[in-house]
Amino acid sequence: MHITYTSGEQVEVYRFSIPVTIGIPLLALFAQAFVPLRFPRFAVYIDLPLLVTIFFAMARRSPISGLLTGAVIGLAQDMLGHNPIGIYGIAKTVVGYGASSLGVKLDVENAGARFLVTLGFYLLHAAVYFTVARGLVNMTQTWSWPRGILAGLANAFLGVVLYFVLDKFKQRT
Amino acid sequence: MESVLGRYRNLIILVGVLFLQVLGLAMQVKKSGNDEEKTRLIRIWAVDAVTPCERALVWVQNGSGNLWHNYFYLRGVRAENRQLKDEIEQMRLQQVRLADDAAQARRLQTLLAFKEQFISRTVAAQVIGSSGSDHSRIVYIDKGENAGIKRDMAVMTSDGIVGKVLLAYPSVAQVLLISDESSGVGALLEKTRLQGVLRGTANGEVVLERVMSDEQVPVGETVLTSGGDQIFPKGLPVGTVTRVGSGRDLFLNIKIKTAADLSKLEEVLVLVEKQERQATAEDEVHMRASDILAQRLPSVPDKSAAVANSAAVAAGSSGASTTAMQPKSAVKQGGIVTKSQGLAASAKAASTAKTAGTGSPATATPKAARNPAGASGVPITLLPEQPIQPAGSPSAAPKTTDASAPTTGAEPDGSQSNPPSAETKPVKPSTPPQANPQPPGDENNPQ
């Protein structure tokens, strides 16, 4: 078993099979596109591709792997919309890098840590998206703290449950 | 140098990946005119990866839903059916009034040489997916270029407009909803006729812009398309005004509740063909509301038919009485029967009655199809109550002169059956029909 040592603390590094690596993000994208047809508020508050990005990044604990995972998932999400491709890509790249870097330094296996990490990264994601969309693409964006925090909490709750399910697909290296 | 690269490798890669994406964004923004063309291929890949699953899921969902709704959940259908029939009655009367108004409008448009846009052909499609983001309010439909759908075609439901086709792939199309920020639709207020531009907002609301702040806009007023955007034909319902406030730059901020529920779209219509033509006032004579009402009132079938028959034989004027009876006959025949068919049926009934006297229906002329009350040709759709009889069947082709005889295809209420092709064989009664004749014995049938 490979063990990564960081500041004297032992953290485990996981890997995933190829079907899981491809299938889970695709499933998340598919669900994100389909569920709002039945539950319109879903798209406003929940970002499944972001949760998957955070999960893979934290489990792999490799910043390069994390940022690439985030970039690919974000770009795919951009392609389903009509806005310029790259806004979600940039935001999720930053989140992937941050989550994997944090995963190296902290124990993010317990539910409480996962909740806080997801809440924090949701807000970071929203901030990066807002900045890029407004600053680079000149899209009309309005920032709402109540909505951001509410959505962050919703994602954090869902993330804790989702990570617990996705943990089953982890393979020790 | 190597140690620096090794030490900051992760950071360098992060900056590199971000830089590439920013570069890509900048190129897309700079070439916004050809943006869709440049990014089309990769969008197709993404759409192709996701939409088959959505299509399958929608299919399964609809299948199970249909099974439940069509076989197991039929509680209250009978009562609902009764209620709907009542509504149809009301709407039929309303339709007559509207047909009159429309004809008048056409005549006026002809005088002014207006050109009208008509919805010529639509394609029904099912919504199978969305962008999954509140920053991009689009939906995917399961029809694309293969079904004739192209970019910038209008998309609507029976309630109102939905959006326009943004991109059309071979089997899927992307529809930009009117609630998206980048959407813009020419709109006007129904009563005040004020024009504006309908736009979406960041939080998914729809507002009407460019209406001057000194105008009075009542809450609840209906908003229609103005046709100015060259995408939506004029007069399609958009929604209603829910709030009027002061906006920027001397304009009002008018919030609109869309007529079509954009959050629960399932089936939509794509307007694939519009037709523009000069308005013409057709030579139509209209059925009056009282005529429609008369059809629905109870009659005394046997007596009236008997009197009608005797009148036809004795005086040769039975055409009038059968004409008075015919609209009900048209209704009773089932199928989608228009007024003109009903009139033709009346002519046939008249000819049948006449045959008793002359035996020569072949000498009849189309003028006989005219309603003595002056009603003809208004395309009023009468809904079926009984299945239509095929032409040539015994009930569809009465051979005797007695219109009331059940064995010869007459309805139990005394009205004459008419085959679907009845309007092709109009015949002229031997005597001119009376205007608005009252069938003898039919005291409850006011004209």
Side-chain angles (χ1 to χ4, degrees):
Chain A
M1 179 176 24
H2 292 275
I3 297 192
T4 304
Y5 294 93
T6 307
S7 305
E9 188 186 357
Q10 286 190 350
V11 283
E12 282 183 297
V13 177
Y14 298 97
R15 65 185 180 85
F16 298 90
S17 65
I18 292 174
V20 169
T21 306
I22 297 171
I24 298 287
L26 263 183
L27 199 66
L29 284 168
F30 158 69
Q32 188 69 29
F34 183 76
V35 177
L37 294 182
R38 302 299 180 260
F39 305 99
R41 307 304 288 175
F42 184 88
V44 178
Y45 291 109
I46 301 295
D47 192 342
L48 281 178
L50 175 70
L51 299 181
V52 170
T53 302
I54 295 172
F55 174 77
F56 278 117
M58 286 195 306
R60 287 182 176 134
R61 302 181 200 278
S62 158
I64 295 174
S65 169
L67 73 90
L68 289 178
T69 304
V72 170
I73 292 177
L75 288 173
Q77 201 176 358
D78 274 320
M79 287 172 207
L80 291 177
H82 75 286
N83 293 323
I85 295 171
I87 309 179
Y88 274 119
I90 291 171
K92 285 192 169 56
T93 302
V94 173
V95 168
Y97 180 81
S100 54
S101 301
L102 201 70
V104 173
K105 293 184 171 59
L106 294 174
D107 172 26
V108 282
E109 296 295 316
N110 69 72
R114 285 177 164 183
F115 183 88
L116 290 175
V117 166
T118 308
L119 176 61
F121 278 116
Y122 178 85
L123 292 174
L124 174 67
H125 178 268
V128 175
Y129 188 97
F130 179 83
T131 309
V132 173
R134 194 160 172 156
L136 291 179
V137 188
N138 202 22
M139 281 167 57
T140 315
Q141 290 285 305
T142 47
W143 180 267
S144 162
W145 276 109
R147 191 179 134 192
I149 290 171
L150 199 65
L153 289 172
N155 277 283
F157 274 117
L158 183 65
V160 170
V161 178
L162 186 71
Y163 301 153
F164 178 74
V165 175
L166 293 178
D167 278 341
K168 313 285 181 200
F169 297 106
K170 280 179 174 176
Q171 294 174 345
R172 291 175 191 274
T173 53
Chain B
M1 183 65 184
E2 276 183 22
S3 64
V4 171
L5 283 178
R7 192 175 173 186
Y8 296 107
R9 191 180 60 144
N10 294 342
L11 209 57
I12 291 167
I13 293 174
L14 172 68
V15 171
V17 171
L18 288 178
F19 178 74
L20 285 176
Q21 292 185 75
V22 170
L23 204 66
L25 263 179
M27 286 170 66
Q28 290 174 64
V29 172
K30 191 179 175 187
K31 297 179 179 176
S32 58
N34 298 321
D35 179 25
E36 286 78 12
E37 296 305 318
K38 297 282 180 194
T39 59
R40 185 183 162 89
L41 195 60
I42 45 178
R43 284 198 199 271
I44 287 177
W45 292 339
V47 168
D48 283 349
V50 171
T51 49
C53 308
E54 291 173 335
R55 211 187 279 261
L57 201 67
V58 167
W59 185 80
V60 170
Q61 193 184 27
N62 286 349
S64 54
N66 286 342
L67 192 70
W68 171 257
H69 285 293
N70 295 340
Y71 292 96
F72 300 120
Y73 191 72
L74 291 173
R75 199 158 51 93
V77 167
R78 208 181 293 273
E80 190 183 352
N81 194 31
R82 207 176 302 125
Q83 184 194 341
L84 289 174
K85 278 184 177 173
D86 290 344
E87 279 179 27
I88 288 171
E89 295 298 311
Q90 295 299 319
M91 291 175 88
R92 233 179 244 162
L93 291 171
Q94 194 181 2
Q95 191 181 18
V96 174
R97 285 196 298 271
L98 292 175
D100 257 343
D101 291 346
Q104 187 182 24
R106 273 197 295 274
R107 283 195 299 276
L108 292 172
Q109 285 176 343
T110 310
L111 288 174
L112 297 168
F114 273 16
K115 280 192 173 175
E116 294 177 297
Q117 272 194 336
F118 295 89
I119 295 175
S120 179
R121 195 165 71 88
T122 57
V123 170
Q126 196 157 32
V127 177
I128 56 168
S130 70
S131 70
S133 161
D134 60 332
H135 300 294
S136 178
R137 294 180 193 280
I138 59 166
V139 292
Y140 286 90
I141 55 174
D142 67 344
K143 300 270 172 61
E145 284 171 343
N146 295 342
I149 292 172
K150 292 183 188 133
R151 196 179 164 175
D152 283 343
M153 284 179 169
V155 181
M156 53 188 288
T157 65
S158 55
D159 297 323
I161 62 165
V162 167
K164 66 168 185 176
V165 176
L166 195 65
L167 288 171
Y169 305 111
S171 59
V172 179
Q174 196 182 56
V175 176
L176 182 74
L177 299 180
I178 54 172
S179 56
D180 190 89
E181 283 176 272
S182 58
S183 164
V185 178
L188 62 85
L189 294 157
E190 189 183 30
K191 287 176 188 161
T192 54
R193 310 310 286 178
L194 294 171
Q195 296 215 14
V197 178
L198 202 74
R199 285 199 179 281
T201 62
N203 52 4
E205 290 177 329
V206 178
V207 293
L208 186 65
E209 295 180 343
R210 304 288 164 189
V211 176
M212 296 300 288
S213 57
D214 56 349
E215 302 286 359
Q216 294 291 318
V217 177
V219 172
E221 176 149 16
T222 306
V223 183
L224 305 171
T225 53
S226 69
D229 49 31
Q230 299 292 312
I231 291 174
F232 296 96
K234 188 175 181 177
L236 295 178
V238 173
T240 48
V241 175
T242 56
R243 198 165 70 83
V244 182
S246 54
R248 290 178 303 175
D249 302 334
L250 299 174
F251 291 113
L252 288 174
N253 182 14
I254 304 169
K255 285 195 176 166
I256 307 292
K257 183 180 187 293
T258 53
D261 190 349
L262 301 179
S263 62
K264 288 176 186 168
L265 290 172
E266 290 185 26
E267 286 90 22
V268 293
L269 292 171
V270 184
L271 181 52
V272 293
E273 211 173 292
K274 279 184 290 186
Q275 196 182 355
E276 196 173 76
R277 70 176 186 215
Q278 193 86 31
T280 53
E282 290 161 19
D283 184 24
E284 289 175 345
V285 191
H286 308 292
M287 179 182 254
R288 296 174 306 165
S290 57
D291 295 336
I292 295 275
L293 193 61
Q295 293 165 20
R296 310 308 303 167
L297 290 173
S299 59
V300 187
D302 293 340
K303 193 176 173 185
S304 65
V307 173
N309 183 43
S310 63
V313 173
S317 60
S318 63
S321 64
T322 47
T323 303
M325 294 294 294
Q326 63 75 29
K328 181 129 188 171
S329 159
V331 173
K332 287 286 182 187
Q333 294 317 303
I336 294 176
V337 183
T338 64
K339 171 73 169 109
S340 56
Q341 283 174 308
L343 290 168
S346 94
K348 183 154 181 93
S351 79
T352 310
K354 168 72 181 158
T355 309
T358 65
S360 58
T363 59
T365 68
K367 284 185 180 176
R370 290 263 173 204
N371 188 318
S376 73
V378 180
I380 295 169
T381 303
L382 304 175
L383 294 175
E385 289 185 6
Q386 290 176 4
I388 197 158
Q389 296 288 348
S393 69
S395 62
K399 291 183 175 61
T400 71
T401 58
D402 188 356
S404 65
T407 53
T408 60
E411 294 296 328
D413 63 355
S415 59
Q416 189 71 30
S417 295
N418 67 306
S421 58
E423 67 179 327
T424 61
K425 296 177 183 176
V427 288
K428 186 179 182 180
S430 59
T431 55
Q434 301 164 15
N436 273 341
Q438 181 78 14
D442 195 356
E443 296 166 359
N444 294 324
N445 200 359
Q447 292 295 306

